[in-house]
Amino acid sequence: MNPAERDRYQQVADDLRRRVEAGEFKVGERLPAIPAIAESYGIARNTAHEAVRTLAQWGVVVSKSGSGTYVRARPGVRQLIRCYDRLRGEGGPIANGLETAARRQGMRSYSSQSIYAPMEVRVRLGLGDPDLEDRPDVMETEYLHQLNDEPTMIVRSWEVLTITRGTPIALPEEGPYAGRGVMERMAGIGMAVDSTSEVVGARAASSEECVKLQMPPGAPVLTIRRTFWVGGQPVETADYVIPADQVELAYSWRIGQAPEDRDTAV
Amino acid sequence: MNPAERDRYQQVADDLRRRVEAGEFKVGERLPAIPAIAESYGIARNTAHEAVRTLAQWGVVVSKSGSGTYVRARPGVRQLIRCYDRLRGEGGPIANGLETAARRQGMRSYSSQSIYAPMEVRVRLGLGDPDLEDRPDVMETEYLHQLNDEPTMIVRSWEVLTITRGTPIALPEEGPYAGRGVMERMAGIGMAVDSTSEVVGARAASSEECVKLQMPPGAPVLTIRRTFWVGGQPVETADYVIPADQVELAYSWRIGQAPEDRDTAV
DNA sequence: TCGAATTTGTGCGTATGTATC
DNA sequence: GGATACATACGCACAAATTCG
């Protein structure tokens, strides 16, 4: 037998999703309360709770403690355009397949400190032996971005201090380029970022992240490890943690005729 | 007080993760059984089970029913290189930051059918009015990829039949280019794919996907909507569903000096 | 303003099913 | 087949948040 249909709470969760998608419960509306669900399906309250929790993990609904569980808006997904091929004209990927990006972030709080880079960051930044004078070698900054008073992502960035030390941009959020973004600030001291690499993954949010991002436990997050390069040399790297709820990452690029391209394209 | 520390099962999950990361339990080793955990922390078996389940959602451990819960290998992550800047030489992003990709997929089972494209696919492929003769207009193929007898991803692809109909590549897994990948097959009929767009997201796996991919319920998956373009015209689009467990997507690209670049780079 | 009712979330004890060894 | 371990299910209780009279 199909193991997915063996468990009651899965059956109920699947059925509730079907009913939501069939339009029986509109976006923003409240689902029946857990005790009501339990009775109508002939299951225990606990099992009904498990079903609703599953629905919430799927992103179909959000549960507000003390209030109820509400059908979530599906089309509210923001696309973050990460990389795109500007050579395309009208009718290209952007115009046809990808919507406009929400470029403006909302507020962001931050805190910076110069530290001795941890091992993983050393590798990513290509830092060799420690500073001879044993000084901190990176500026670490943690941001909490918010949009409409709701947290949208956590960013931790590390900038190479041997590059920025003593310049006006040493502190990311002070000086003439305060809050301008890494590329613009680097450009301010003559470092033109010419290359980007990103590694994208996903996992369930840690309990700490659930608190900071106001997410239910177990909800998935997208993770990005991004590095900026100047002439083959990494100058900054950052970790993004983004609730997978409402965000998608858009990439678009041109393809050459090298055989490697055909190999990698699954 | 920190709400994350209010719940017992969260505390225990956090503590177990700390112990795993501290090396108390090595990779591949078995954790204490749930009843043992329950006793040692002074909690109910049920609560201990919840803690272990949380650990599994975090990807720290995998639970094998009837056997035990085992610490999972962290460094075993496969990086799928999606897009990279080939102009970089040694010492560039690839060499320093990104490891070699596992290009070879394992086995894959598939099934194809020519259908009338659903609405969402029509939009992605830029299909206008339906075929005058009301014939199917796309070839839909579903793949289940496997590596070492373990499912690695589900792919559903749609190819535009007005392009491939009557050609040797109409059926993806038959003819001279059977199983060669979309780009190579398209090249076989003179269609040189010159552009790619991808939209990456993440969510909890549906119950159906959990079965096909042999994942625990609620585990996160990466999703990719990919489209291949020829001269501004989409020729194929596909949906990827990949367990977020052990996979990361690597992107790397060059950056121009246009101001838009600095805007989009957060 | 206050308190009662409702709702979600957690915790416990127990029982049962199923997979593995 | 028996022992062990994980997974689900139920019933109950309580805490915290919200709603509403």
Side-chain angles (χ1 to χ4, degrees), chain A residues 140-159:
Chain A
E140 181 185 74
T141 306
E142 175 162 341
Y143 297 94
L144 179 61
H145 288 254
Q146 290 187 317
L147 193 62
N148 306 332
D149 279 333
E150 294 193 349
T152 55
M153 60 176 164
I154 300 169
V155 183
R156 281 206 302 171
S157 85
W158 297 269
E159 295 177 4

Side-chain angles (χ1 to χ4, degrees), chain B residues 229-246:
Chain B
W229 306 72
V230 175
Q233 188 70 23
V235 295
E236 191 256 12
T237 192
D239 281 348
Y240 292 62
V241 178
I242 315 172
D245 279 53
Q246 305 272 11

Side-chain angles (χ1 to χ4, degrees), chain B residues 217-228:
Chain B
V221 290
L222 276 168
T223 62
I224 308 177
R225 295 199 305 275
R226 178 187 48 61
T227 304
F228 283 144

Side-chain angles (χ1 to χ4, degrees), chain B residues 172-253:
Chain B
E173 301 289 341
E174 295 185 11
Y177 293 93
R180 285 295 191 83
V182 183
M183 299 180 68
E184 214 167 342
R185 290 175 40 247
M186 287 288 173
I189 60 169
M191 304 290 288
V193 172
D194 57 11
S195 182
T196 305
S197 62
E198 295 193 354
V199 178
V200 180
R203 55 176 172 77
S206 72
S207 54
E208 188 187 1
E209 289 160 350
C210 286
V211 174
K212 286 184 182 173
L213 295 171
Q214 297 180 14
M215 301 164 54
V221 290
L222 276 168
T223 62
I224 308 177
R225 295 199 305 275
R226 178 187 48 61
T227 304
F228 283 144
W229 306 72
V230 175
Q233 188 70 23
V235 295
E236 191 256 12
T237 192
D239 281 348
Y240 292 62
V241 178
I242 315 172
D245 279 53
Q246 305 272 11
V247 174
E248 292 176 325
L249 310 176
Y251 298 86
S252 167
W253 66 92

